[in-house]
Amino acid sequence: MPGAPVPASGRGSTARKVIGGLLTVFGVLGMLGGGALAAHAYSNSQQSIPNSAYGPTLWRNETTDRLFPATVGEPPNYRYDAADKKVAQWSRMGISQDTSCSEGLSGETKDTAERLGCTAVLRATYVDLTGEMIATVAIIVLPKGTAGQEMGEYFDDQEHADVPDAAVVPFAVPGTLAAKWQANRRNGMGGEALGGDSFPYAIAVTTGAVNGRTSGNLPGEFGDYGANDEDRKPWMDAANALSETFHTHLGNLER
């Protein structure tokens, strides 16, 4: 009779188990390493790192449509950009081709900017969605250093002045609601400094009424006891809000 089969020694089975165990260990290590790498990449993606080298040249390299969007509004949260039409509060009427500091600013604002080394002033005129309020926005290009901070301090002082400076020279746009926008129609001003070596700019805004109505000149006793200041306040508030909107907008362009 043929001999009974010889049972397997078990060496091959043991080797297969060892190799399988090693593969499992290396697979787990690989997944852990891949997970750590993915987590690190995700963490990096959440960091907002501004391009400090681009900031000082932004005004030369961005198109005018990017600097002054067709519409702007204050974003309710980080998901929106100021240029998003869904948050629009102001519509652009036109953009000035004149970039000189002396022609774009007036009064004490011009003197302060020129003393600090103003390089250029970029202007655009907007009308709010009601069609009643008009504003000229100026992006003031300043040298690196403390100029932006000093400009910001100046704007803070103006906000509390008895008679705030008019700040920006209105830019009229023929054939639009801004066709008659001129210096004697200015009612309020506001400003915001961006400052620093990486972003040497300031925003200045002058506001007025499309129909030419002036504020802060109430007659006789109506002008007493701060009534002129109260009459001017809505125009000042609108100018400050618009300057803050452009502060946010330019900061997003830098990134």
Short mmCIF file of all heavy atoms in Angstrom, two decimals, residues 68-138:
data_model
loop_
_atom_site.label_atom_id
_atom_site.label_comp_id
_atom_site.label_asym_id
_atom_site.label_seq_id
_atom_site.Cartn_x
_atom_site.Cartn_y
_atom_site.Cartn_z
N PHE A 68 -10.98 99.40 -8.61
CA PHE A 68 -12.29 100.04 -8.42
C PHE A 68 -13.35 99.18 -9.10
O PHE A 68 -13.69 99.40 -10.27
CB PHE A 68 -12.28 101.45 -8.99
CG PHE A 68 -11.35 102.41 -8.31
CD1 PHE A 68 -10.23 102.89 -8.97
CD2 PHE A 68 -11.60 102.84 -7.02
CE1 PHE A 68 -9.36 103.79 -8.36
CE2 PHE A 68 -10.74 103.74 -6.39
CZ PHE A 68 -9.61 104.21 -7.06
N PRO A 69 -13.91 98.20 -8.40
CA PRO A 69 -14.90 97.29 -9.01
C PRO A 69 -16.16 98.04 -9.46
O PRO A 69 -16.45 99.14 -8.98
CB PRO A 69 -15.22 96.31 -7.88
CG PRO A 69 -14.10 96.44 -6.91
CD PRO A 69 -13.61 97.85 -7.02
N ALA A 70 -16.90 97.41 -10.35
CA ALA A 70 -18.14 98.01 -10.87
C ALA A 70 -19.14 98.25 -9.74
O ALA A 70 -19.90 99.23 -9.76
CB ALA A 70 -18.75 97.12 -11.94
N THR A 71 -19.16 97.37 -8.75
CA THR A 71 -19.98 97.57 -7.56
C THR A 71 -19.15 97.21 -6.33
O THR A 71 -18.25 96.37 -6.40
CB THR A 71 -21.25 96.69 -7.57
OG1 THR A 71 -20.87 95.31 -7.52
CG2 THR A 71 -22.10 96.96 -8.80
N VAL A 72 -19.47 97.84 -5.22
CA VAL A 72 -18.82 97.49 -3.95
C VAL A 72 -19.86 97.50 -2.84
O VAL A 72 -20.88 98.18 -2.93
CB VAL A 72 -17.67 98.46 -3.58
CG1 VAL A 72 -16.49 98.30 -4.51
CG2 VAL A 72 -18.15 99.90 -3.54
N GLY A 73 -19.58 96.74 -1.80
CA GLY A 73 -20.44 96.71 -0.64
C GLY A 73 -19.70 96.08 0.51
O GLY A 73 -18.70 95.39 0.32
N GLU A 74 -20.17 96.31 1.71
CA GLU A 74 -19.51 95.77 2.89
C GLU A 74 -19.87 94.29 3.03
O GLU A 74 -21.04 93.94 3.20
CB GLU A 74 -19.95 96.52 4.14
CG GLU A 74 -19.22 96.09 5.39
CD GLU A 74 -19.63 96.92 6.60
OE1 GLU A 74 -20.45 97.85 6.43
OE2 GLU A 74 -19.14 96.63 7.70
N PRO A 75 -18.88 93.38 2.95
CA PRO A 75 -19.18 91.95 3.04
C PRO A 75 -19.71 91.58 4.43
O PRO A 75 -19.15 92.03 5.43
CB PRO A 75 -17.83 91.29 2.78
CG PRO A 75 -16.97 92.35 2.16
CD PRO A 75 -17.46 93.64 2.73
N PRO A 76 -20.77 90.77 4.52
CA PRO A 76 -21.30 90.38 5.82
C PRO A 76 -20.40 89.37 6.53
O PRO A 76 -20.43 89.25 7.75
CB PRO A 76 -22.65 89.75 5.48
CG PRO A 76 -22.50 89.27 4.07
CD PRO A 76 -21.58 90.26 3.41
N ASN A 77 -19.59 88.61 5.77
CA ASN A 77 -18.66 87.65 6.36
C ASN A 77 -17.57 87.34 5.34
O ASN A 77 -17.57 87.88 4.22
CB ASN A 77 -19.38 86.38 6.80
CG ASN A 77 -20.18 85.74 5.67
OD1 ASN A 77 -19.65 85.45 4.60
ND2 ASN A 77 -21.47 85.53 5.90
N TYR A 78 -16.63 86.47 5.73
CA TYR A 78 -15.45 86.20 4.91
C TYR A 78 -15.78 85.50 3.59
O TYR A 78 -14.94 85.44 2.70
CB TYR A 78 -14.45 85.36 5.70
CG TYR A 78 -14.88 83.92 5.90
CD1 TYR A 78 -14.47 82.93 5.01
CD2 TYR A 78 -15.71 83.57 6.97
CE1 TYR A 78 -14.88 81.61 5.19
CE2 TYR A 78 -16.11 82.26 7.14
CZ TYR A 78 -15.69 81.29 6.25
OH TYR A 78 -16.10 79.99 6.41
N ARG A 79 -16.97 84.97 3.45
CA ARG A 79 -17.31 84.25 2.22
C ARG A 79 -17.55 85.19 1.04
O ARG A 79 -17.58 84.75 -0.10
CB ARG A 79 -18.57 83.40 2.45
CG ARG A 79 -18.38 82.29 3.47
CD ARG A 79 -19.64 81.48 3.62
NE ARG A 79 -19.50 80.42 4.62
CZ ARG A 79 -20.47 79.58 4.96
NH1 ARG A 79 -21.65 79.66 4.37
NH2 ARG A 79 -20.24 78.65 5.87
N TYR A 80 -17.75 86.45 1.34
CA TYR A 80 -18.04 87.43 0.30
C TYR A 80 -16.86 88.38 0.10
O TYR A 80 -16.16 88.72 1.04
CB TYR A 80 -19.28 88.25 0.66
CG TYR A 80 -20.57 87.47 0.67
CD1 TYR A 80 -20.99 86.83 1.83
CD2 TYR A 80 -21.36 87.37 -0.48
CE1 TYR A 80 -22.18 86.10 1.85
CE2 TYR A 80 -22.55 86.66 -0.45
CZ TYR A 80 -22.95 86.03 0.70
OH TYR A 80 -24.13 85.32 0.71
N ASP A 81 -16.71 88.82 -1.13
CA ASP A 81 -15.74 89.87 -1.45
C ASP A 81 -16.51 91.18 -1.59
O ASP A 81 -17.71 91.18 -1.93
CB ASP A 81 -15.02 89.53 -2.77
CG ASP A 81 -13.94 90.55 -3.09
OD1 ASP A 81 -12.83 90.45 -2.56
OD2 ASP A 81 -14.24 91.47 -3.89
N ALA A 82 -15.85 92.29 -1.33
CA ALA A 82 -16.52 93.59 -1.43
C ALA A 82 -17.03 93.85 -2.84
O ALA A 82 -17.98 94.62 -3.03
CB ALA A 82 -15.55 94.70 -1.01
N ALA A 83 -16.42 93.21 -3.84
CA ALA A 83 -16.83 93.40 -5.23
C ALA A 83 -17.96 92.46 -5.65
O ALA A 83 -18.46 92.56 -6.78
CB ALA A 83 -15.64 93.19 -6.16
N ASP A 84 -18.39 91.58 -4.77
CA ASP A 84 -19.46 90.64 -5.08
C ASP A 84 -20.77 91.40 -5.28
O ASP A 84 -21.19 92.16 -4.41
CB ASP A 84 -19.60 89.63 -3.94
CG ASP A 84 -20.47 88.44 -4.30
OD1 ASP A 84 -21.43 88.61 -5.08
OD2 ASP A 84 -20.21 87.33 -3.80
N LYS A 85 -21.41 91.19 -6.41
CA LYS A 85 -22.64 91.92 -6.71
C LYS A 85 -23.77 91.60 -5.72
O LYS A 85 -24.72 92.36 -5.59
CB LYS A 85 -23.09 91.62 -8.14
CG LYS A 85 -22.15 92.18 -9.21
CD LYS A 85 -22.69 91.98 -10.61
CE LYS A 85 -21.72 92.47 -11.67
NZ LYS A 85 -21.46 93.92 -11.55
N LYS A 86 -23.65 90.47 -5.03
CA LYS A 86 -24.68 90.10 -4.07
C LYS A 86 -24.68 91.03 -2.85
O LYS A 86 -25.68 91.09 -2.12
CB LYS A 86 -24.47 88.65 -3.61
CG LYS A 86 -24.70 87.63 -4.72
CD LYS A 86 -24.46 86.22 -4.21
CE LYS A 86 -24.65 85.19 -5.31
NZ LYS A 86 -24.36 83.81 -4.83
N VAL A 87 -23.58 91.71 -2.60
CA VAL A 87 -23.50 92.62 -1.45
C VAL A 87 -23.38 94.07 -1.91
O VAL A 87 -23.00 94.94 -1.14
CB VAL A 87 -22.32 92.25 -0.52
CG1 VAL A 87 -22.49 90.85 0.03
CG2 VAL A 87 -20.98 92.38 -1.24
N ALA A 88 -23.72 94.34 -3.16
CA ALA A 88 -23.54 95.68 -3.74
C ALA A 88 -24.32 96.75 -2.98
O ALA A 88 -25.50 96.57 -2.67
CB ALA A 88 -23.95 95.67 -5.21
N GLN A 89 -23.64 97.84 -2.68
CA GLN A 89 -24.27 99.01 -2.06
C GLN A 89 -23.97 100.28 -2.86
O GLN A 89 -24.68 101.27 -2.73
CB GLN A 89 -23.74 99.18 -0.62
CG GLN A 89 -24.12 98.03 0.30
CD GLN A 89 -23.37 98.08 1.62
OE1 GLN A 89 -22.20 98.45 1.68
NE2 GLN A 89 -24.06 97.71 2.69
N TRP A 90 -22.90 100.23 -3.67
CA TRP A 90 -22.50 101.38 -4.48
C TRP A 90 -22.19 100.92 -5.90
O TRP A 90 -21.61 99.85 -6.09
CB TRP A 90 -21.24 102.04 -3.91
CG TRP A 90 -21.40 102.62 -2.53
CD1 TRP A 90 -21.32 101.96 -1.35
CD2 TRP A 90 -21.67 104.00 -2.21
NE1 TRP A 90 -21.50 102.82 -0.30
CE2 TRP A 90 -21.71 104.09 -0.80
CE3 TRP A 90 -21.84 105.15 -2.97
CZ2 TRP A 90 -21.95 105.28 -0.14
CZ3 TRP A 90 -22.07 106.35 -2.30
CH2 TRP A 90 -22.12 106.42 -0.91
N SER A 91 -22.55 101.75 -6.89
CA SER A 91 -22.25 101.45 -8.29
C SER A 91 -21.27 102.49 -8.83
O SER A 91 -21.44 103.70 -8.61
CB SER A 91 -23.52 101.48 -9.14
OG SER A 91 -24.40 100.45 -8.76
N ARG A 92 -20.27 102.02 -9.55
CA ARG A 92 -19.24 102.91 -10.08
C ARG A 92 -19.77 103.70 -11.27
O ARG A 92 -20.38 103.16 -12.18
CB ARG A 92 -18.02 102.08 -10.51
CG ARG A 92 -16.80 102.90 -10.88
CD ARG A 92 -15.72 102.01 -11.47
NE ARG A 92 -16.15 101.47 -12.76
CZ ARG A 92 -15.75 100.30 -13.26
NH1 ARG A 92 -14.93 99.52 -12.57
NH2 ARG A 92 -16.18 99.89 -14.42
N MET A 93 -19.50 105.00 -11.26
CA MET A 93 -19.87 105.88 -12.37
C MET A 93 -18.70 106.10 -13.33
O MET A 93 -18.89 106.22 -14.53
CB MET A 93 -20.35 107.24 -11.85
CG MET A 93 -21.58 107.20 -10.96
SD MET A 93 -23.11 106.78 -11.84
CE MET A 93 -23.33 105.07 -11.32
N GLY A 94 -17.49 106.17 -12.80
CA GLY A 94 -16.32 106.39 -13.65
C GLY A 94 -15.04 106.43 -12.85
O GLY A 94 -15.06 106.55 -11.61
N ILE A 95 -13.91 106.32 -13.56
CA ILE A 95 -12.58 106.31 -12.96
C ILE A 95 -11.75 107.44 -13.55
O ILE A 95 -11.69 107.59 -14.77
CB ILE A 95 -11.87 104.96 -13.19
CG1 ILE A 95 -12.70 103.81 -12.61
CG2 ILE A 95 -10.47 104.96 -12.59
CD1 ILE A 95 -12.18 102.43 -12.94
N SER A 96 -11.11 108.22 -12.71
CA SER A 96 -10.29 109.34 -13.17
C SER A 96 -8.97 108.85 -13.75
O SER A 96 -8.36 107.92 -13.22
CB SER A 96 -10.02 110.30 -12.01
OG SER A 96 -9.11 111.32 -12.40
N GLN A 97 -8.51 109.50 -14.82
CA GLN A 97 -7.21 109.18 -15.40
C GLN A 97 -6.09 110.02 -14.77
O GLN A 97 -4.91 109.72 -14.96
CB GLN A 97 -7.24 109.42 -16.92
CG GLN A 97 -8.18 108.48 -17.65
CD GLN A 97 -8.13 108.67 -19.16
OE1 GLN A 97 -7.38 109.50 -19.68
NE2 GLN A 97 -8.94 107.90 -19.87
N ASP A 98 -6.46 111.06 -14.04
CA ASP A 98 -5.48 111.92 -13.37
C ASP A 98 -5.06 111.27 -12.06
O ASP A 98 -5.90 110.97 -11.20
CB ASP A 98 -6.10 113.30 -13.11
CG ASP A 98 -5.07 114.32 -12.63
OD1 ASP A 98 -4.01 113.91 -12.12
OD2 ASP A 98 -5.33 115.52 -12.78
N THR A 99 -3.78 111.05 -11.87
CA THR A 99 -3.29 110.39 -10.65
C THR A 99 -2.42 111.30 -9.78
O THR A 99 -1.76 110.82 -8.86
CB THR A 99 -2.49 109.12 -11.01
OG1 THR A 99 -1.34 109.49 -11.77
CG2 THR A 99 -3.35 108.14 -11.79
N SER A 100 -2.41 112.60 -10.06
CA SER A 100 -1.55 113.49 -9.28
C SER A 100 -2.15 113.74 -7.90
O SER A 100 -3.37 113.85 -7.73
CB SER A 100 -1.36 114.83 -10.02
OG SER A 100 -2.57 115.55 -10.06
N CYS A 101 -1.28 113.85 -6.91
CA CYS A 101 -1.72 114.10 -5.54
C CYS A 101 -2.37 115.47 -5.41
O CYS A 101 -3.37 115.63 -4.71
CB CYS A 101 -0.54 113.98 -4.59
SG CYS A 101 0.27 112.36 -4.58
N SER A 102 -1.81 116.45 -6.07
CA SER A 102 -2.30 117.83 -5.93
C SER A 102 -3.67 118.03 -6.56
O SER A 102 -4.43 118.89 -6.14
CB SER A 102 -1.30 118.81 -6.56
OG SER A 102 -1.12 118.52 -7.93
N GLU A 103 -4.01 117.22 -7.58
CA GLU A 103 -5.30 117.36 -8.24
C GLU A 103 -6.35 116.44 -7.64
O GLU A 103 -7.55 116.67 -7.80
CB GLU A 103 -5.16 117.05 -9.74
CG GLU A 103 -4.27 118.02 -10.50
CD GLU A 103 -4.81 119.44 -10.47
OE1 GLU A 103 -6.05 119.61 -10.55
OE2 GLU A 103 -4.00 120.38 -10.37
N GLY A 104 -5.91 115.39 -6.95
CA GLY A 104 -6.86 114.42 -6.42
C GLY A 104 -7.34 114.73 -5.01
O GLY A 104 -8.42 114.29 -4.60
N LEU A 105 -6.53 115.49 -4.25
CA LEU A 105 -6.88 115.81 -2.87
C LEU A 105 -6.97 117.32 -2.70
O LEU A 105 -6.46 118.08 -3.53
CB LEU A 105 -5.83 115.25 -1.91
CG LEU A 105 -5.57 113.74 -1.98
CD1 LEU A 105 -4.42 113.36 -1.05
CD2 LEU A 105 -6.82 112.96 -1.64
N SER A 106 -7.58 117.76 -1.60
CA SER A 106 -7.71 119.19 -1.36
C SER A 106 -7.47 119.51 0.11
O SER A 106 -7.46 118.62 0.96
CB SER A 106 -9.09 119.69 -1.78
OG SER A 106 -10.09 119.14 -0.93
N GLY A 107 -7.27 120.81 0.37
CA GLY A 107 -7.17 121.30 1.73
C GLY A 107 -6.09 120.65 2.57
O GLY A 107 -4.99 120.32 2.10
N GLU A 108 -6.42 120.45 3.83
CA GLU A 108 -5.46 119.90 4.78
C GLU A 108 -5.09 118.45 4.45
O GLU A 108 -3.99 118.00 4.73
CB GLU A 108 -6.03 119.99 6.20
CG GLU A 108 -5.02 119.70 7.29
CD GLU A 108 -5.60 119.89 8.68
OE1 GLU A 108 -6.71 120.44 8.80
OE2 GLU A 108 -4.93 119.47 9.65
N THR A 109 -6.04 117.73 3.84
CA THR A 109 -5.76 116.34 3.45
C THR A 109 -4.65 116.30 2.41
O THR A 109 -3.72 115.48 2.49
CB THR A 109 -7.02 115.67 2.90
OG1 THR A 109 -8.06 115.73 3.88
CG2 THR A 109 -6.76 114.22 2.54
N LYS A 110 -4.72 117.19 1.44
CA LYS A 110 -3.67 117.26 0.41
C LYS A 110 -2.34 117.65 1.05
O LYS A 110 -1.30 117.02 0.76
CB LYS A 110 -4.04 118.29 -0.67
CG LYS A 110 -2.98 118.42 -1.76
CD LYS A 110 -3.30 119.52 -2.74
CE LYS A 110 -3.03 120.88 -2.13
NZ LYS A 110 -3.12 121.98 -3.13
N ASP A 111 -2.35 118.65 1.92
CA ASP A 111 -1.11 119.10 2.56
C ASP A 111 -0.47 117.97 3.37
O ASP A 111 0.75 117.77 3.34
CB ASP A 111 -1.39 120.29 3.47
CG ASP A 111 -1.84 121.53 2.69
OD1 ASP A 111 -1.60 121.57 1.46
OD2 ASP A 111 -2.44 122.43 3.30
N THR A 112 -1.30 117.23 4.09
CA THR A 112 -0.79 116.14 4.92
C THR A 112 -0.20 115.03 4.06
O THR A 112 0.91 114.52 4.33
CB THR A 112 -1.91 115.56 5.81
OG1 THR A 112 -2.45 116.60 6.62
CG2 THR A 112 -1.38 114.44 6.70
N ALA A 113 -0.92 114.63 3.01
CA ALA A 113 -0.44 113.55 2.13
C ALA A 113 0.86 113.94 1.43
O ALA A 113 1.79 113.13 1.32
CB ALA A 113 -1.52 113.21 1.10
N GLU A 114 0.94 115.17 0.96
CA GLU A 114 2.16 115.62 0.26
C GLU A 114 3.33 115.72 1.24
O GLU A 114 4.47 115.40 0.89
CB GLU A 114 1.90 116.95 -0.43
CG GLU A 114 0.98 116.81 -1.64
CD GLU A 114 0.79 118.11 -2.40
OE1 GLU A 114 0.97 119.19 -1.78
OE2 GLU A 114 0.48 118.06 -3.61
N ARG A 115 3.07 116.14 2.46
CA ARG A 115 4.14 116.20 3.46
C ARG A 115 4.68 114.81 3.76
O ARG A 115 5.88 114.63 4.01
CB ARG A 115 3.61 116.85 4.74
CG ARG A 115 4.61 116.87 5.89
CD ARG A 115 4.07 117.58 7.10
NE ARG A 115 2.87 116.97 7.62
CZ ARG A 115 2.86 115.87 8.40
NH1 ARG A 115 4.00 115.27 8.72
NH2 ARG A 115 1.72 115.39 8.85
N LEU A 116 3.81 113.81 3.70
CA LEU A 116 4.22 112.43 3.99
C LEU A 116 4.81 111.72 2.77
O LEU A 116 5.20 110.56 2.87
CB LEU A 116 3.01 111.64 4.51
CG LEU A 116 2.47 112.09 5.88
CD1 LEU A 116 1.19 111.35 6.22
CD2 LEU A 116 3.52 111.88 6.97
N GLY A 117 4.89 112.43 1.63
CA GLY A 117 5.52 111.86 0.45
C GLY A 117 4.58 111.17 -0.51
O GLY A 117 4.96 110.18 -1.15
N CYS A 118 3.36 111.66 -0.63
CA CYS A 118 2.36 111.07 -1.54
C CYS A 118 2.95 110.82 -2.94
O CYS A 118 3.55 111.71 -3.54
CB CYS A 118 1.16 112.00 -1.65
SG CYS A 118 -0.12 111.46 -2.78
N THR A 119 2.76 109.60 -3.44
CA THR A 119 3.27 109.23 -4.76
C THR A 119 2.21 109.41 -5.84
O THR A 119 2.50 109.88 -6.94
CB THR A 119 3.72 107.75 -4.76
OG1 THR A 119 4.76 107.60 -3.79
CG2 THR A 119 4.23 107.33 -6.13
N ALA A 120 0.97 109.03 -5.54
CA ALA A 120 -0.12 109.12 -6.51
C ALA A 120 -1.45 109.03 -5.77
O ALA A 120 -1.52 108.55 -4.63
CB ALA A 120 -0.02 108.00 -7.54
N VAL A 121 -2.50 109.52 -6.42
CA VAL A 121 -3.85 109.40 -5.91
C VAL A 121 -4.74 108.87 -7.03
O VAL A 121 -4.86 109.49 -8.09
CB VAL A 121 -4.40 110.75 -5.40
CG1 VAL A 121 -5.89 110.63 -5.08
CG2 VAL A 121 -3.64 111.21 -4.17
N LEU A 122 -5.33 107.70 -6.80
CA LEU A 122 -6.22 107.08 -7.78
C LEU A 122 -7.65 107.31 -7.31
O LEU A 122 -7.98 107.06 -6.15
CB LEU A 122 -5.94 105.58 -7.88
CG LEU A 122 -4.46 105.17 -7.94
CD1 LEU A 122 -4.34 103.66 -7.98
CD2 LEU A 122 -3.78 105.79 -9.14
N ARG A 123 -8.52 107.80 -8.22
CA ARG A 123 -9.88 108.16 -7.82
C ARG A 123 -10.94 107.50 -8.69
O ARG A 123 -10.74 107.27 -9.88
CB ARG A 123 -10.09 109.67 -7.91
CG ARG A 123 -9.41 110.50 -6.85
CD ARG A 123 -9.67 111.98 -7.10
NE ARG A 123 -9.15 112.41 -8.38
CZ ARG A 123 -9.61 113.46 -9.08
NH1 ARG A 123 -10.63 114.15 -8.62
NH2 ARG A 123 -9.06 113.79 -10.23
N ALA A 124 -12.08 107.21 -8.08
CA ALA A 124 -13.25 106.73 -8.80
C ALA A 124 -14.49 107.27 -8.09
O ALA A 124 -14.48 107.47 -6.87
CB ALA A 124 -13.29 105.22 -8.85
N THR A 125 -15.55 107.51 -8.85
CA THR A 125 -16.79 108.03 -8.29
C THR A 125 -17.87 106.96 -8.30
O THR A 125 -18.04 106.23 -9.28
CB THR A 125 -17.27 109.27 -9.07
OG1 THR A 125 -16.34 110.34 -8.83
CG2 THR A 125 -18.64 109.72 -8.61
N TYR A 126 -18.59 106.87 -7.18
CA TYR A 126 -19.66 105.89 -7.01
C TYR A 126 -20.95 106.59 -6.59
O TYR A 126 -20.92 107.66 -5.98
CB TYR A 126 -19.29 104.87 -5.92
CG TYR A 126 -18.23 103.88 -6.34
CD1 TYR A 126 -16.88 104.23 -6.32
CD2 TYR A 126 -18.58 102.59 -6.74
CE1 TYR A 126 -15.90 103.31 -6.70
CE2 TYR A 126 -17.61 101.67 -7.11
CZ TYR A 126 -16.28 102.03 -7.09
OH TYR A 126 -15.31 101.14 -7.48
N VAL A 127 -22.09 105.97 -6.90
CA VAL A 127 -23.39 106.42 -6.43
C VAL A 127 -24.05 105.25 -5.72
O VAL A 127 -23.96 104.11 -6.18
CB VAL A 127 -24.28 106.91 -7.60
CG1 VAL A 127 -25.71 107.15 -7.14
CG2 VAL A 127 -23.71 108.20 -8.20
N ASP A 128 -24.70 105.53 -4.57
CA ASP A 128 -25.32 104.42 -3.83
C ASP A 128 -26.56 103.92 -4.57
O ASP A 128 -27.05 104.56 -5.52
CB ASP A 128 -25.62 104.83 -2.38
CG ASP A 128 -26.87 105.68 -2.25
OD1 ASP A 128 -27.30 106.30 -3.25
OD2 ASP A 128 -27.43 105.75 -1.15
N LEU A 129 -27.07 102.79 -4.15
CA LEU A 129 -28.15 102.13 -4.90
C LEU A 129 -29.46 102.89 -4.86
O LEU A 129 -30.35 102.65 -5.68
CB LEU A 129 -28.34 100.70 -4.37
CG LEU A 129 -27.16 99.75 -4.56
CD1 LEU A 129 -27.54 98.33 -4.16
CD2 LEU A 129 -26.66 99.77 -6.00
N THR A 130 -29.60 103.84 -3.92
CA THR A 130 -30.81 104.68 -3.90
C THR A 130 -30.74 105.77 -4.96
O THR A 130 -31.76 106.39 -5.29
CB THR A 130 -31.00 105.34 -2.53
OG1 THR A 130 -29.97 106.32 -2.31
CG2 THR A 130 -30.98 104.30 -1.41
N GLY A 131 -29.53 106.03 -5.47
CA GLY A 131 -29.36 107.11 -6.44
C GLY A 131 -29.37 108.48 -5.82
O GLY A 131 -29.48 109.49 -6.53
N GLU A 132 -29.20 108.56 -4.50
CA GLU A 132 -29.29 109.83 -3.80
C GLU A 132 -27.94 110.31 -3.26
O GLU A 132 -27.72 111.52 -3.13
CB GLU A 132 -30.28 109.73 -2.63
CG GLU A 132 -31.70 109.46 -3.09
CD GLU A 132 -32.68 109.33 -1.93
OE1 GLU A 132 -32.21 109.40 -0.76
OE2 GLU A 132 -33.88 109.18 -2.18
N MET A 133 -27.04 109.38 -2.93
CA MET A 133 -25.75 109.77 -2.36
C MET A 133 -24.63 109.45 -3.34
O MET A 133 -24.65 108.42 -4.02
CB MET A 133 -25.50 109.04 -1.03
CG MET A 133 -24.25 109.54 -0.30
SD MET A 133 -24.01 108.79 1.35
CE MET A 133 -25.39 109.49 2.25
N ILE A 134 -23.67 110.36 -3.40
CA ILE A 134 -22.55 110.22 -4.32
C ILE A 134 -21.24 110.27 -3.53
O ILE A 134 -21.19 110.90 -2.46
CB ILE A 134 -22.60 111.35 -5.39
CG1 ILE A 134 -21.62 111.09 -6.52
CG2 ILE A 134 -22.37 112.71 -4.76
CD1 ILE A 134 -21.84 111.99 -7.71
N ALA A 135 -20.22 109.61 -4.03
CA ALA A 135 -18.94 109.59 -3.32
C ALA A 135 -17.79 109.44 -4.31
O ALA A 135 -17.92 108.73 -5.31
CB ALA A 135 -18.90 108.43 -2.32
N THR A 136 -16.69 110.13 -4.03
CA THR A 136 -15.45 109.89 -4.76
C THR A 136 -14.47 109.24 -3.79
O THR A 136 -14.22 109.75 -2.70
CB THR A 136 -14.86 111.18 -5.34
OG1 THR A 136 -15.73 111.69 -6.35
CG2 THR A 136 -13.50 110.91 -5.97
N VAL A 137 -13.96 108.09 -4.20
CA VAL A 137 -13.02 107.31 -3.39
C VAL A 137 -11.62 107.55 -3.92
O VAL A 137 -11.38 107.50 -5.13
CB VAL A 137 -13.35 105.81 -3.46
CG1 VAL A 137 -12.36 105.00 -2.63
CG2 VAL A 137 -14.78 105.56 -3.02
N ALA A 138 -10.67 107.80 -3.05
CA ALA A 138 -9.28 108.01 -3.44
C ALA A 138 -8.39 106.98 -2.75
O ALA A 138 -8.46 106.80 -1.53
CB ALA A 138 -8.82 109.42 -3.08
#
